[in-house]
Amino acid sequence: MIILSNVHKTFPTGTQGLTDISLAIDKGEFVFLIGGSGSGKTTLLRLLTREMTPTSGEIRVADVPVHAISESKVHTLRKQIGVVFQDLKLLMDRTILENVLLPLEVAGVSINQAKARAEELLEKVGIQHHKDKFPIQLSGGELQRAAIARALTLSPIILLADEPTGNLDDATAESILSLLQAIHEEGTTVIMATHNMNALKKYPHHRVITLEKGTLAKDTKKKDAKGDTHGSA
Amino acid sequence: MAAHRKTMWFHLRRSPYQACAAILMMSITFLMMTAFSYLLVGSHVLLQYFESRPQVNIFFTNETSQSTIDALGEDLRANSVVSSVTFVSKEQALAIYREQNKDDPLLLELVTEDILPASLEVTTYEAADLRPIADALAGNPAIQQVVFQRDIVERLAFWLSALRQVGIAIIVLLAIESLLVITIIIGIKIAQRRNEIELMQLIGATKGYIAAPFVYEGILYGMVGAVVGWSIASGFLYYYAYLIEQSGFFAGIPVLPVPWELYAIVFGAMAAVGIIFGYAASMIAVRRYFRS
């Protein structure tokens, strides 16, 4: 599903973002991506959506050579990947429903179908009753749910969540985790960058990839580019 | 398409003053463009009219006898390039003058029969034949002045050319200013919606999809500006053309009434230019954003 081979990322300032990252993630896996600030978690997620390109190495997502595709093909790739951004990126001058509708509008789904799908997802994440409110009227947990609903609108094969429990209290964080777990159980590959150690304790069977200063420090289920399991690092 | 229109209206509602400024600027540009279009077409018709009626006016001194005038008239009629020769006596000249100035008693009081000379109106088949006739008559002691329409046409052509150049210069300046205003306003709107655009890109929107509402907005500014500018200029022309026609100022000259086809053609041209302007300006703004 996702294969990274010897991926390096050096920023224009000369800072080393990632160094020689190689890993493979299977379809339907739930992966925790952990590491301190500046360890490269967000950089790794941004490479997967082609928000940035690797300095060297190869990245494949669902057999698409992300490192090599032209700019004109990037939008097709992004429609297959749902992203819950660290800063959520909800549009403050649009209602929750309008925010969730956005990816469907971009995909050219008819307005009636789009509304039905958006309302279904808002129901799923538990904020259907807030659909006509603006983001400023919702709590942090509710905003996270709205961002998750938006990420799921196009039924992505992969869901990337960057610190989705970052600023939430324990109870709210747990409810968000449960929601992501439910999405995973429906067959979606979930990659969640987090600092939340409680999440790892709650789901100990999920794979954990640890990054340190841009290098792959630990992988609880390491696979090479051919997909062969090598056990814990 | 519907999504782009919805987004465009959303943008317009969020910043109505910017939209008004853009439309106002475009309206002024198209008002000037429409007005100069009518002026150029009208002046072209006027020029063609004069060019198609080649004529020399020979004004005689008061001392010139009628027999001398008649002899000269006969000589001219014998010339193969001359199509007609008409004598206008001092009395007829005064009558014409009185008719033209019947509403101004002061001008009528100042002029007597002695001031206005008798004249011959000589018409040729070709405008090019006017100057040889005028040159041949120059130096004749019986003649006070020779005025031929080539002078009038040339002067008219000169002033119309100057007017055209000034008009084109003003229109070009206004067009550049309008393009810049729309580019800046669309640019401001893009900057205001940077977060939205960034999100759209991240959720898989193409550049074309992102650009479309801004391009539609630019085209809307151009089209509304063209319609407003054309409506004002055409309204003025329609109203004043009627008044001028009633006054008889252009009597005999086929400038008025303005044909409706001209209104329609100018409207079509202005609408097309409006669309092109709006499209070009918004594309410049959008491309600048994507390049940055």
Side-chain angles (χ1 to χ4, degrees):
Chain A
M1 170 67 62
I2 298 172
I3 301 171
L4 282 83
S5 305
N6 308 110
V7 172
H8 290 258
K9 177 62 189 176
T10 307
F11 292 106
T13 54
T15 309
Q16 196 66 26
L18 291 173
T19 307
D20 197 24
I21 301 289
S22 294
L23 56 88
I25 296 170
D26 281 339
K27 188 179 177 187
E29 268 196 278
F30 192 125
V31 178
F32 287 117
L33 193 59
I34 65 166
S37 294
S39 60
K41 302 188 297 294
T42 301
T43 302
L44 182 57
L45 296 184
R46 294 174 91 184
L47 285 170
L48 294 178
T49 56
R50 215 0 228 281
E51 257 191 87
M52 49 176 72
T53 50
T55 310
S56 65
E58 293 185 1
I59 301 170
R60 288 184 174 274
V61 175
D63 290 330
V64 176
V66 177
H67 60 285
I69 55 169
S70 64
E71 279 293 322
S72 60
K73 301 266 173 64
V74 171
H75 66 95
T76 311
L77 168 80
R78 288 179 179 165
K79 281 174 188 154
Q80 296 181 55
I81 304 174
V83 184
V84 182
F85 300 99
Q86 191 168 13
D87 57 356
L88 303 181
K89 296 194 190 301
L90 291 168
L91 302 178
M92 305 310 276
D93 55 2
R94 301 208 186 190
T95 64
I96 295 301
L97 179 66
E98 286 170 339
N99 269 282
V100 177
L101 279 171
L102 265 182
L104 295 158
E105 284 178 4
V106 168
V109 179
S110 72
I111 188 67
N112 288 337
Q113 282 182 308
K115 272 190 176 168
R117 173 72 177 150
E119 289 186 4
E120 174 196 334
L121 284 164
L122 288 172
E123 181 85 48
K124 184 176 180 177
V125 300
I127 54 166
Q128 215 275 341
H129 53 293
H130 291 316
K131 68 172 185 175
D132 294 324
K133 290 182 181 170
F134 287 90
I136 200 164
Q137 296 171 283
L138 269 62
S139 68
E142 288 164 342
L143 292 176
Q144 280 290 358
R145 286 170 184 275
I148 291 169
R150 187 185 61 197
L152 294 174
T153 47
L154 296 177
S155 305
I157 52 173
I158 301 163
L159 179 67
L160 306 179
D162 195 358
E163 305 278 7
T165 59
N167 296 314
L168 304 177
D169 60 70
D170 289 347
T172 311
E174 199 171 318
S175 71
I176 295 295
L177 267 175
S178 301
L179 179 60
L180 292 174
Q181 175 63 22
I183 293 162
H184 161 62
E185 283 167 8
E186 287 172 8
T188 308
T189 306
V190 178
I191 302 174
M192 173 179 159
T194 184
H195 282 117
N196 187 345
M197 290 303 129
N198 289 335
L200 277 66
K201 287 175 192 163
K202 189 175 178 188
Y203 298 103
H205 54 287
H206 288 333
R207 181 176 175 186
V208 180
I209 293 172
T210 309
L211 295 176
E212 277 180 17
K213 293 180 182 171
T215 59
L216 183 59
K218 192 176 177 185
D219 186 350
T220 57
K221 184 186 171 190
K222 186 168 177 169
K223 287 188 174 184
D224 64 19
K226 291 176 185 168
D228 299 327
T229 306
H230 293 280
S232 300
Chain B
M1 186 83 168
H4 298 321
R5 278 205 306 270
K6 188 181 138 199
T7 310
M8 181 193 74
W9 287 118
F10 184 78
H11 291 172
L12 286 174
R13 284 202 306 274
R14 283 281 180 268
S15 47
Y17 295 115
Q18 288 173 359
C20 287
I23 288 171
L24 186 64
M25 192 62 232
M26 290 302 270
S27 300
I28 292 169
T29 301
F30 281 104
L31 171 63
M32 296 298 287
M33 284 173 84
T34 309
F36 270 101
S37 299
Y38 288 139
L39 200 63
L40 289 179
V41 172
S43 60
H44 182 70
V45 171
L46 204 63
L47 199 59
Q48 273 191 330
Y49 171 77
F50 281 112
E51 280 180 337
S52 66
R53 293 170 65 88
Q55 190 173 306
V56 176
N57 289 73
I58 305 162
F59 296 97
F60 295 94
T61 58
N62 282 336
E63 295 76 29
T64 306
S65 64
Q66 188 62 44
S67 58
T68 306
I69 295 171
D70 291 343
L72 187 62
E74 285 308 313
D75 285 349
L76 287 166
R77 279 189 192 94
N79 194 329
S80 60
V81 300
V82 172
S83 60
S84 70
V85 177
T86 309
F87 173 68
V88 179
S89 68
K90 291 164 82 70
E91 294 77 14
Q92 285 169 322
L94 183 62
I96 293 167
Y97 179 84
R98 281 182 173 157
E99 177 58 29
Q100 286 178 346
N101 298 283
K102 61 186 176 189
D103 297 331
D104 197 334
L106 189 64
L107 287 177
L108 292 179
E109 279 177 26
L110 288 172
V111 176
T112 60
E113 210 175 271
D114 293 337
I115 294 176
L116 298 170
S119 63
L120 285 176
E121 289 178 359
V122 183
T123 308
T124 60
Y125 294 107
E126 298 290 337
D129 295 324
L130 293 175
R131 186 171 289 281
I133 288 175
D135 290 345
L137 295 169
N140 188 327
I143 297 169
Q144 188 184 53
Q145 191 183 12
V146 178
V147 176
F148 70 103
Q149 279 190 356
R150 177 53 65 186
D151 282 346
I152 297 169
V153 169
E154 279 172 0
R155 261 182 239 158
L156 192 62
F158 170 79
W159 285 111
L160 290 179
S161 170
L163 187 71
R164 191 178 295 134
Q165 285 170 18
V166 170
I168 289 170
I170 291 170
I171 287 169
V172 167
L173 279 174
L174 280 169
I176 292 170
E177 194 181 349
S178 299
L179 277 173
L180 287 175
V181 167
I182 293 188
T183 304
I184 290 166
I185 287 174
I186 298 282
I188 291 170
K189 291 192 169 211
I190 290 172
Q192 285 171 338
R193 311 210 74 79
R194 183 170 285 139
N195 290 342
E196 182 180 330
I197 293 170
E198 187 191 351
L199 173 69
M200 299 287 256
Q201 286 180 307
L202 291 172
I203 60 177
T206 59
K207 284 182 180 176
Y209 185 93
I210 293 165
F214 296 107
V215 174
Y216 284 2
E217 197 174 334
I219 290 173
L220 182 80
Y221 293 155
M223 279 203 68
V224 173
V227 170
V228 172
W230 175 86
S231 300
I232 295 171
S234 300
F236 268 97
L237 177 64
Y238 184 79
Y239 179 70
Y240 284 105
Y242 175 76
L243 289 184
I244 293 167
E245 197 179 359
Q246 293 301 307
S247 74
F249 187 75
F250 284 121
I253 302 173
V255 178
L256 299 171
V258 180
W260 68 266
E261 290 93 337
L262 181 64
Y263 288 115
I265 290 168
V266 172
F267 176 78
M270 292 303 134
V273 173
I275 290 169
I276 293 166
F277 268 32
Y279 177 81
S282 52
M283 280 306 287
I284 291 169
V286 168
R287 278 172 188 267
R288 279 189 70 218
Y289 172 79
F290 283 129
R291 267 206 305 272
S292 67

